[in-house]
Amino acid sequence: MKGTMDSIMSVKNACLLGVSLFVATAANGQTPKLTLDLSKPGATVSPMLYGQMTEEINHSYDGGLYAELIRNRVFKDNPTKPEAWSLVQEDSTTSKAAIKLMAATETNVPFDERRHALTGALQTSLRLTVEKAGGRVGIANEGYWGIPVKPSTTYNASFYLKGSGSMQFPRRPGSQNTAPAAPVIADSTAGPITVTIESNDGKTIYASGTVNLIKSIFWKKYELALTTAAGIQPTKDARFVISTNRTGMYYFNLVSLFPPTYKDQPNGFRPDLMQMLVDMKPKFLRFPGGNYLEGPLITDAFPWKQTLGPLEQRPGHKGSWGYRASDGLGLLEFLMWCENMGADPLLGVYAGYSLDGDHVDAGPLLKPYVEDALDEIEYVMGDAKTYWGAKRAADGHPAPFKLKYVEIGNEDWFDRSGSYNGRFTQFREAIETKYPSLVCISTIADAQYQNLKVTSGKKPAVLDEHYYRDSWDMWANASQYDNYDRKSPKIFVGEWATREGAPTTNLNAALGDAAWMTGMERNSDHIIMSCYAPLFVNVNTATSTAPKAWQWDSDLIGYNALNSYGSPAYYVQKVFSEYLGDKIVPVTAENIPSQPRPQSRRDSAQNITPKPVPTVFYSATKDAKTGVVYLKIVNTIAKPQPIEISLNGISKVSPNATLITVKGEKPTDTNTITEREKIVPVTITIDGVATVFSRNLDPYSVSIFKLQTGK
Ligand code: AHR
């Protein structure tokens, strides 16, 4: 199925219209029928229904959305070796050189050489020692599975560098310190140094520049722009090199290379990925996690204060998914991300429970964590006269951000100690006292965790539920919200996905997602927010020098250093969000066919025959101002299915309508990094629409009918 994304084709497809023309039959022999009640405005669709959820997983930021191209730019990713870095030696017979990680605490070097900290945050540097320089010698960075090279592109390179040498420190009388040792090799660091983006074998130089090093034993920042030529072929098989042909000891820190960023924002985002996010038209962004909020240990929780300000002051942290986070994308960058999308932040605050199972009990021990959350909220929404609001202003954003929802922790149902009741209550009381406009979200889904739910004080206003399921489970549960008690707290489906296909999900998963979303839409008076997870995956597999880039199969948007693509599920998300009214239209369904559901391993162990599941799913909303009705119908099976659609309560509808479909030929069809647009939405115009009309639903399809009714 090849299609032009969102292409508009005018199709005279009268043969598809009119009940009498149908040949396909429903399971019970009768045509499936949907009756939309348009006689009165229905309940209001939550204006926040569709958002995004993000965390540092699968190299979502480092090696993903954060545009930095240098991997391990501050040399802290691995304490035992300079990961992603290598020595470049043009002629190893005539030169003698080595690279070495230098921690500030290094002792096996002369006294003066121990001072390698650039700042308190960046205490490890890389030393290039050139004893003999017979030709070019330098350091190379392999990037995040390659450095992307594109024609006519300017890259901003920068790095800190210092040479070696003697520092004449005054000695205290009687000090045991020996006199500073002289450099062991001839120091000729001063002079020009070359910076290149080049092929991995060094034979092709894509962009090159020089900077003049001054002789200094103190850190100095060097910056230069590197521009590629017009005619080059894009490639990711490239590396970044800083090289010299002089002897000396060269110390490097915070080596950075930025390509053009989204809207040229400094320390910004990769444009193709940010554009895909903007195109989803999300109403909110849930950050910073997920597990990334919690960290493996209490001390590894997302350290938002250390993610602010100049990069020189950001130490980075352990992360929760097996690799270190640079924190180049820190709290302010999350907020800028929201601003780029016109979305509200939905802030997750660390609530004293971490992944390894440790928690901090409510009471005085929890107080510092509550205060930290209050500080964080002040950074987001406080005016520039407040302490943290002033910090935000100093960081470049004087205007406060709009904040309504604060989530207390993440998936605290894992904390079987039962401490969440007290922790949530302590956070909520402090937050609501200082910020009465804020709504605190509980991470315990009452329906599933009756014994863990919050019982102190008033009921939480909103609960976060998470669902990771296969398509059978999605289809079986797509109507679960139809019967939720409207007096219970509102629901935020803060993480969910149909998990089929890797690294990004396939068409069948998209059909599971679409069915599930029809259920959320039908009930969007009560399901006030939802967001798919995970959003991103760097699709690289392991190489001889870099590990596999992803930890979680089944993600929404895939990329490598050069290209990106949306999964079928991405396009389903995009069209569901784009084509949404503000009033729920009640729909009555008749003759919906079902299919048998295969026994799971557990079913067969327990001798259970699972219930059949429907093969057609639907929801309808109306834009009260324009009169446009958005009818979404999912056909999950291999054959076309006829459907009769009745628009009750109106006398007129435009005979022409827009039909948007996402479809494929088989459930495993998918998009990949090499075939990026196999499945994309296709938009056509149909005619023959009436207050009663019929249509054949394509096999394996999601169809959105945009019907113009009166206002
Ligand atoms: O989305 C991946 C992980 O799934 C999230 O980090 C966590 O909240 C959930 O368990």
mmCIF file of all heavy atoms in Angstrom, residues 53 55 57 286 289-292 294 321 410-411 414 466 468 495 533-534 552, ligand 1:
data_model
loop_
_atom_site.group_PDB
_atom_site.id
_atom_site.type_symbol
_atom_site.label_atom_id
_atom_site.label_comp_id
_atom_site.label_asym_id
_atom_site.label_seq_id
_atom_site.Cartn_x
_atom_site.Cartn_y
_atom_site.Cartn_z
ATOM 1 N N MET A 53 3.625 11.595 26.030
ATOM 2 C CA MET A 53 4.372 11.208 27.235
ATOM 3 C C MET A 53 5.822 10.980 26.821
ATOM 4 O O MET A 53 6.087 10.399 25.771
ATOM 5 C CB MET A 53 3.789 9.921 27.796
ATOM 6 C CG MET A 53 4.422 9.448 29.076
ATOM 7 S SD MET A 53 5.826 8.367 28.748
ATOM 8 C CE MET A 53 6.520 8.226 30.375
ATOM 9 N N GLU A 55 10.141 10.308 28.099
ATOM 10 C CA GLU A 55 11.197 10.077 29.089
ATOM 11 C C GLU A 55 12.462 9.713 28.314
ATOM 12 O O GLU A 55 12.401 9.407 27.114
ATOM 13 C CB GLU A 55 10.828 8.962 30.062
ATOM 14 C CG GLU A 55 10.703 7.593 29.419
ATOM 15 C CD GLU A 55 10.413 6.504 30.429
ATOM 16 O OE1 GLU A 55 11.057 6.498 31.482
ATOM 17 O OE2 GLU A 55 9.545 5.662 30.148
ATOM 18 N N ILE A 57 14.448 7.156 27.255
ATOM 19 C CA ILE A 57 14.451 5.707 27.038
ATOM 20 C C ILE A 57 14.738 5.538 25.557
ATOM 21 O O ILE A 57 14.422 6.438 24.764
ATOM 22 C CB ILE A 57 13.068 5.107 27.426
ATOM 23 C CG1 ILE A 57 13.038 3.585 27.281
ATOM 24 C CG2 ILE A 57 11.945 5.690 26.600
ATOM 25 C CD1 ILE A 57 11.723 2.930 27.783
ATOM 26 N N ARG A 286 3.482 14.971 29.066
ATOM 27 C CA ARG A 286 3.775 14.408 30.393
ATOM 28 C C ARG A 286 5.279 14.132 30.461
ATOM 29 O O ARG A 286 5.820 13.368 29.656
ATOM 30 C CB ARG A 286 2.989 13.106 30.593
ATOM 31 C CG ARG A 286 3.353 12.372 31.880
ATOM 32 C CD ARG A 286 2.555 11.075 32.044
ATOM 33 N NE ARG A 286 2.910 10.417 33.279
ATOM 34 C CZ ARG A 286 3.386 9.165 33.371
ATOM 35 N NH1 ARG A 286 3.539 8.430 32.290
ATOM 36 N NH2 ARG A 286 3.696 8.645 34.535
ATOM 37 N N GLY A 289 8.883 11.487 33.119
ATOM 38 C CA GLY A 289 8.748 10.031 33.057
ATOM 39 C C GLY A 289 7.479 9.661 33.753
ATOM 40 O O GLY A 289 6.801 10.541 34.286
ATOM 41 N N GLY A 290 7.164 8.398 33.711
ATOM 42 C CA GLY A 290 7.924 7.205 33.471
ATOM 43 C C GLY A 290 9.012 6.921 34.518
ATOM 44 O O GLY A 290 9.207 7.631 35.503
ATOM 45 N N ASN A 291 9.611 5.784 34.269
ATOM 46 C CA ASN A 291 10.665 5.319 35.167
ATOM 47 C C ASN A 291 11.797 6.328 35.296
ATOM 48 O O ASN A 291 12.505 6.366 36.304
ATOM 49 C CB ASN A 291 11.231 3.995 34.667
ATOM 50 C CG ASN A 291 10.225 2.866 34.797
ATOM 51 O OD1 ASN A 291 9.175 3.024 35.403
ATOM 52 N ND2 ASN A 291 10.533 1.735 34.217
ATOM 53 N N TYR A 292 11.988 7.135 34.281
ATOM 54 C CA TYR A 292 13.068 8.122 34.282
ATOM 55 C C TYR A 292 12.887 9.144 35.401
ATOM 56 O O TYR A 292 13.848 9.724 35.885
ATOM 57 C CB TYR A 292 13.062 8.802 32.919
ATOM 58 C CG TYR A 292 14.194 9.752 32.632
ATOM 59 C CD1 TYR A 292 15.516 9.332 32.663
ATOM 60 C CD2 TYR A 292 13.929 11.073 32.267
ATOM 61 C CE1 TYR A 292 16.549 10.215 32.351
ATOM 62 C CE2 TYR A 292 14.949 11.950 31.952
ATOM 63 C CZ TYR A 292 16.253 11.522 32.003
ATOM 64 O OH TYR A 292 17.265 12.384 31.694
ATOM 65 N N GLU A 294 11.786 8.321 38.351
ATOM 66 C CA GLU A 294 12.062 7.664 39.636
ATOM 67 C C GLU A 294 13.519 7.314 39.855
ATOM 68 O O GLU A 294 14.025 7.395 40.976
ATOM 69 C CB GLU A 294 11.268 6.351 39.721
ATOM 70 C CG GLU A 294 9.780 6.510 39.581
ATOM 71 C CD GLU A 294 9.143 5.188 39.250
ATOM 72 O OE1 GLU A 294 8.903 4.397 40.168
ATOM 73 O OE2 GLU A 294 8.897 4.927 38.060
ATOM 74 N N TRP A 321 17.427 3.675 32.210
ATOM 75 C CA TRP A 321 17.335 2.680 31.144
ATOM 76 C C TRP A 321 18.701 2.190 30.678
ATOM 77 O O TRP A 321 18.900 1.894 29.505
ATOM 78 C CB TRP A 321 16.498 3.243 29.991
ATOM 79 C CG TRP A 321 15.067 3.389 30.409
ATOM 80 C CD1 TRP A 321 14.444 4.526 30.839
ATOM 81 C CD2 TRP A 321 14.096 2.344 30.504
ATOM 82 N NE1 TRP A 321 13.142 4.263 31.183
ATOM 83 C CE2 TRP A 321 12.895 2.925 30.981
ATOM 84 C CE3 TRP A 321 14.105 0.973 30.217
ATOM 85 C CZ2 TRP A 321 11.728 2.187 31.193
ATOM 86 C CZ3 TRP A 321 12.948 0.233 30.422
ATOM 87 C CH2 TRP A 321 11.782 0.840 30.899
ATOM 88 N N ASN A 410 5.217 8.053 39.885
ATOM 89 C CA ASN A 410 4.944 7.253 38.692
ATOM 90 C C ASN A 410 4.700 5.805 39.115
ATOM 91 O O ASN A 410 5.505 5.241 39.863
ATOM 92 C CB ASN A 410 6.140 7.283 37.736
ATOM 93 C CG ASN A 410 5.918 6.403 36.514
ATOM 94 O OD1 ASN A 410 4.973 6.605 35.751
ATOM 95 N ND2 ASN A 410 6.771 5.404 36.329
ATOM 96 N N GLU A 411 3.620 5.243 38.654
ATOM 97 C CA GLU A 411 3.321 3.819 38.866
ATOM 98 C C GLU A 411 3.600 3.383 40.307
ATOM 99 O O GLU A 411 4.306 2.402 40.552
ATOM 100 C CB GLU A 411 4.120 2.963 37.881
ATOM 101 C CG GLU A 411 3.713 3.202 36.447
ATOM 102 C CD GLU A 411 4.275 2.201 35.427
ATOM 103 O OE1 GLU A 411 5.297 1.568 35.725
ATOM 104 O OE2 GLU A 411 3.676 2.075 34.353
ATOM 105 N N PHE A 414 3.567 -0.156 42.238
ATOM 106 C CA PHE A 414 4.675 -1.090 42.488
ATOM 107 C C PHE A 414 5.133 -1.028 43.946
ATOM 108 O O PHE A 414 5.802 -1.924 44.423
ATOM 109 C CB PHE A 414 5.851 -0.793 41.558
ATOM 110 C CG PHE A 414 5.641 -1.331 40.169
ATOM 111 C CD1 PHE A 414 5.394 -0.475 39.105
ATOM 112 C CD2 PHE A 414 5.667 -2.702 39.935
ATOM 113 C CE1 PHE A 414 5.191 -0.978 37.819
ATOM 114 C CE2 PHE A 414 5.465 -3.216 38.656
ATOM 115 C CZ PHE A 414 5.230 -2.349 37.593
ATOM 116 N N HIS A 466 -2.354 2.845 33.382
ATOM 117 C CA HIS A 466 -1.423 2.464 32.305
ATOM 118 C C HIS A 466 -1.838 1.123 31.701
ATOM 119 O O HIS A 466 -2.173 0.194 32.439
ATOM 120 C CB HIS A 466 0.004 2.341 32.858
ATOM 121 C CG HIS A 466 0.590 3.652 33.275
ATOM 122 N ND1 HIS A 466 1.865 3.792 33.749
ATOM 123 C CD2 HIS A 466 0.058 4.904 33.277
ATOM 124 C CE1 HIS A 466 2.101 5.062 34.039
ATOM 125 N NE2 HIS A 466 1.005 5.758 33.763
ATOM 126 N N TYR A 468 -0.394 -1.603 28.756
ATOM 127 C CA TYR A 468 0.427 -2.131 27.667
ATOM 128 C C TYR A 468 -0.164 -3.500 27.336
ATOM 129 O O TYR A 468 -0.108 -4.421 28.141
ATOM 130 C CB TYR A 468 1.883 -2.254 28.104
ATOM 131 C CG TYR A 468 2.545 -0.907 28.314
ATOM 132 C CD1 TYR A 468 2.808 -0.434 29.593
ATOM 133 C CD2 TYR A 468 2.902 -0.110 27.227
ATOM 134 C CE1 TYR A 468 3.412 0.800 29.784
ATOM 135 C CE2 TYR A 468 3.508 1.126 27.410
ATOM 136 C CZ TYR A 468 3.757 1.578 28.692
ATOM 137 O OH TYR A 468 4.356 2.800 28.861
ATOM 138 N N GLU A 495 -0.065 6.212 30.161
ATOM 139 C CA GLU A 495 0.809 5.393 29.312
ATOM 140 C C GLU A 495 -0.056 4.280 28.763
ATOM 141 O O GLU A 495 -0.776 3.617 29.518
ATOM 142 C CB GLU A 495 1.963 4.771 30.121
ATOM 143 C CG GLU A 495 2.991 5.770 30.587
ATOM 144 C CD GLU A 495 4.128 5.114 31.375
ATOM 145 O OE1 GLU A 495 4.475 3.951 31.101
ATOM 146 O OE2 GLU A 495 4.652 5.792 32.275
ATOM 147 N N ALA A 533 2.819 5.574 24.961
ATOM 148 C CA ALA A 533 4.223 5.475 25.384
ATOM 149 C C ALA A 533 4.820 4.157 24.898
ATOM 150 O O ALA A 533 4.097 3.173 24.764
ATOM 151 C CB ALA A 533 4.313 5.540 26.911
ATOM 152 N N PRO A 534 6.125 4.122 24.695
ATOM 153 C CA PRO A 534 7.015 5.269 24.542
ATOM 154 C C PRO A 534 6.878 5.932 23.168
ATOM 155 O O PRO A 534 6.483 5.321 22.202
ATOM 156 C CB PRO A 534 8.414 4.680 24.694
ATOM 157 C CG PRO A 534 8.235 3.348 25.356
ATOM 158 C CD PRO A 534 6.899 2.864 24.871
ATOM 159 N N TRP A 552 13.244 -0.836 24.773
ATOM 160 C CA TRP A 552 11.800 -1.134 24.835
ATOM 161 C C TRP A 552 11.296 -1.307 23.411
ATOM 162 O O TRP A 552 11.399 -0.383 22.598
ATOM 163 C CB TRP A 552 11.092 0.040 25.514
ATOM 164 C CG TRP A 552 9.627 -0.127 25.765
ATOM 165 C CD1 TRP A 552 8.613 0.072 24.859
ATOM 166 C CD2 TRP A 552 9.005 -0.516 26.985
ATOM 167 N NE1 TRP A 552 7.408 -0.176 25.462
ATOM 168 C CE2 TRP A 552 7.614 -0.534 26.767
ATOM 169 C CE3 TRP A 552 9.473 -0.857 28.258
ATOM 170 C CZ2 TRP A 552 6.689 -0.861 27.752
ATOM 171 C CZ3 TRP A 552 8.555 -1.179 29.242
ATOM 172 C CH2 TRP A 552 7.181 -1.179 28.987
HETATM 173 O O1 AHR B 1 7.008 3.322 28.882
HETATM 174 C C1 AHR B 1 7.989 2.516 29.420
HETATM 175 C C2 AHR B 1 7.828 2.321 30.929
HETATM 176 O O2 AHR B 1 6.668 1.628 31.214
HETATM 177 C C3 AHR B 1 7.694 3.583 31.732
HETATM 178 O O3 AHR B 1 8.915 4.167 32.014
HETATM 179 C C4 AHR B 1 7.042 3.107 32.977
HETATM 180 O O4 AHR B 1 6.291 4.108 33.610
HETATM 181 C C5 AHR B 1 6.210 1.953 32.512
HETATM 182 O O5 AHR B 1 6.337 0.862 33.329
#
